[in-house]
Amino acid sequence: MAQTTERPAGHAPDRPPVRPPARTPRVHRAWSVAAVTFVTIIGAAAFASLPGLLIEPLHGEFDWSRGTIGFAVSVNLALYGLTAPFAAALMDRFGIRRVVAMALTVIAAGSLLTVWMTAAWQLVLYWGVLVGLGSGSMALAFAATVTNRWFVGRRGLVTGILTAAGASGQLVFLPLLSWLVEHHGWRPAAVTVSLAALAVVPFVWLLLRDHPADVGLAPYGGEYAEKPAPVTGAARRAVTVLLKAARTGPFWLLAGTFAICGASTNGLVKTHFVPAAHDHGMPVTAAAGLLAVIGVFDVVGTIASGWFTDRFAARRLLAVYYALRGISLLFLPMLLAPAVHPPMLFFIVFYGLDWVATVPPTIALCREHYGEDSAIVFGWVLASHQVGAAAVAFAGGVARDLFGSYDVVWYASGALCAAAALMALVIRRPRTEAPSPAGA
């Protein structure tokens, strides 16, 4: 239903009103902003999909060790996570449109420059630093900022849709990129990522707006509000909240479990599953297709986990998720084969359901313990997720170089997930709050 463009009755005329559009639009502008955001996040999924497909081609062409290539991926993942807590501050200071357009341009430049690289340090600089900083600037904070500014009604629905966009992008790009790598080499795939980033920039610049007040609208389902002045102290607050949270036990338990989450997903499976499957004779396109299926069930698992989080103790859900993930990783080395068999399909479906199921209960625990600072605390917990992913992206490549297979990496990650399950059970509810009916 369209929203009014006028200020609510009784609003004090303390300043000249923003001129409303000539007529009330049938479809609220917030939905077009959400659509642009969705397309942008889908495009961003291409940047995250490519590294796992490049390990073998770069190793074959340049004779770089898998550890060296994994280090470039680890720099990318680490900067993605460490940039995220400050991304919201950048958007508050310079505006969503400028930050996202610049981030996409940096990503496009980094990906395109890899076509002419001749040394491993260039891979670290182009793909690790440039693409890492660019993608981190439009990560979780992008979707959250757009949702908070443009939506009051349907906020939960929009958040879920934008969260699912990453999985949808993985589904769209992985088969295409793997086909390009296998039939035309890795350079056309890198150029495709660069063009995908640049193609989104005009849509961001022309259709995205920083705030509903920019076009004389109230947020969807809410009342008109003036656009706030640029915030200059948000980055300082992010650091202050980190220092305060770091003095509490739950922060380190949440950061530790989420680091293991990143290690066992983005760092391990997303980066090393395709080359590991290829080691066993599976075609790259088939392995990439399996990762795309993980992206489909990722959406289902995230929605279901949110439903469970409303009804059960979050720490117990985390313990179950990590325990089941660890068990599945212990079985994976026995499932890898030249062809895709039903047991492997079962693993893919199961792992997809569990991929980001840890996010809703982790957010809930941040909210329980840190209240109004919970969003910033979760940003730092997310940074630990990416640092864990970065460590395993590098360690996985080194292990493959040393042992000739990834088996030890799967087993070690399974053990880490078991440790995460125990860490989750140690987290207690704040003493000032009564336990929920579901129990602590």
Side-chain angles (χ1 to χ4, degrees):
M1 182 176 178
Q3 306 298 305
T4 179
T5 61
E6 299 178 359
R7 301 188 184 198
H11 180 82
D14 55 344
R15 66 189 71 183
V18 174
R19 180 177 296 176
R23 66 185 184 88
T24 302
R26 289 181 176 272
V27 179
H28 195 282
R29 179 68 176 269
W31 293 109
S32 67
V33 171
V36 173
T37 305
F38 183 88
V39 172
T40 304
I41 294 174
I42 284 181
F47 321 142
S49 300
L50 189 57
L53 303 177
L54 295 184
I55 293 178
E56 291 302 323
L58 293 179
H59 172 70
E61 179 173 338
F62 297 105
D63 199 29
W64 297 337
S65 70
R66 294 174 180 84
T68 298
I69 301 169
F71 176 71
V73 177
S74 73
V75 171
N76 176 292
L77 293 171
L79 288 178
Y80 178 99
L82 294 173
T83 304
F86 298 96
L90 289 172
M91 292 178 186
D92 286 339
R93 180 67 180 87
F94 300 105
I96 301 173
R97 185 171 58 162
R98 291 178 180 175
V99 172
V100 173
M102 180 59 68
L104 288 167
T105 303
V106 170
I107 289 168
S111 181
L112 187 61
L113 285 170
T114 59
V115 173
W116 295 285
M117 66 183 176
T118 56
W121 67 265
Q122 294 169 331
L123 177 66
V124 175
L125 175 62
Y126 300 152
W127 196 266
V129 176
L130 293 182
V131 177
L133 289 174
S135 56
S137 298
M138 48 178 284
L140 183 67
F142 178 36
T145 303
V146 167
T147 304
N148 291 340
R149 291 186 183 182
W150 280 90
F151 290 87
V152 175
R154 307 291 185 183
R155 184 174 284 175
L157 172 64
V158 174
T159 300
I161 291 173
L162 296 182
T163 301
S168 301
Q170 181 173 295
L171 174 65
V172 169
F173 281 103
L174 261 177
L176 171 62
L177 294 176
S178 64
W179 182 84
L180 285 173
V181 169
E182 188 167 19
H183 291 87
H184 300 283
W186 63 271
R187 286 181 176 83
V191 172
T192 299
V193 169
S194 180
L195 294 178
L198 287 177
V200 179
V201 172
F203 294 97
V204 169
W205 195 255
L206 296 175
L207 301 178
L208 195 62
R209 291 294 180 270
D210 294 331
H211 195 277
D214 288 340
V215 289
L217 288 171
Y220 182 87
E223 297 181 345
Y224 181 88
E226 295 286 356
K227 181 179 180 179
V231 178
T232 58
R236 187 183 305 111
R237 185 185 174 212
V239 175
T240 301
V241 169
L242 170 64
L243 295 176
K244 180 180 177 182
R247 294 195 292 267
T248 66
F251 172 80
W252 292 107
L253 291 170
L254 289 168
T257 55
F258 223 44
I260 293 173
C261 178
S264 56
T265 53
N266 290 2
L268 178 63
V269 175
K270 183 173 282 188
T271 304
H272 293 293
F273 177 82
V274 171
H278 186 65
D279 283 347
H280 288 76
M282 184 181 294
V284 171
T285 51
L290 291 176
L291 277 186
V293 174
I294 285 180
V296 175
F297 286 94
D298 172 17
V299 177
V300 179
T302 305
I303 296 172
S305 179
W307 188 86
F308 288 139
T309 302
D310 289 335
R311 290 160 177 80
F312 302 99
R315 69 185 186 91
R316 291 180 176 174
L317 286 175
L318 281 181
V320 171
Y321 294 157
Y322 285 121
L324 293 176
R325 182 183 298 181
I327 292 171
S328 67
L329 286 173
L330 294 177
F331 281 97
L332 181 57
M334 296 178 281
L335 303 179
L336 291 170
V340 179
H341 299 293
M344 173 57 79
L345 290 176
F346 177 81
F347 169 85
I348 292 298
V349 171
F350 180 86
Y351 208 83
L353 292 172
D354 192 67
W355 184 271
V356 291
T358 55
V359 173
T362 300
I363 292 176
L365 287 168
C366 287
R367 190 181 304 118
E368 287 178 13
H369 286 273
Y370 302 104
E372 63 180 12
D373 291 332
S374 61
I376 297 176
V377 172
F378 179 71
W380 287 110
V381 171
L382 177 67
S384 74
H385 180 281
Q386 293 304 111
V387 171
V392 171
F394 173 61
V398 172
R400 172 63 177 80
D401 290 330
L402 291 176
F403 302 109
S405 78
Y406 285 98
D407 289 358
V408 67
V409 184
W410 306 123
Y411 295 138
S413 296
L416 283 175
C417 288
L422 295 175
M423 292 167 64
L425 289 175
V426 174
I427 302 172
R428 297 291 180 181
R429 292 180 63 88
R431 294 180 180 180
T432 56
E433 298 182 10
S436 65

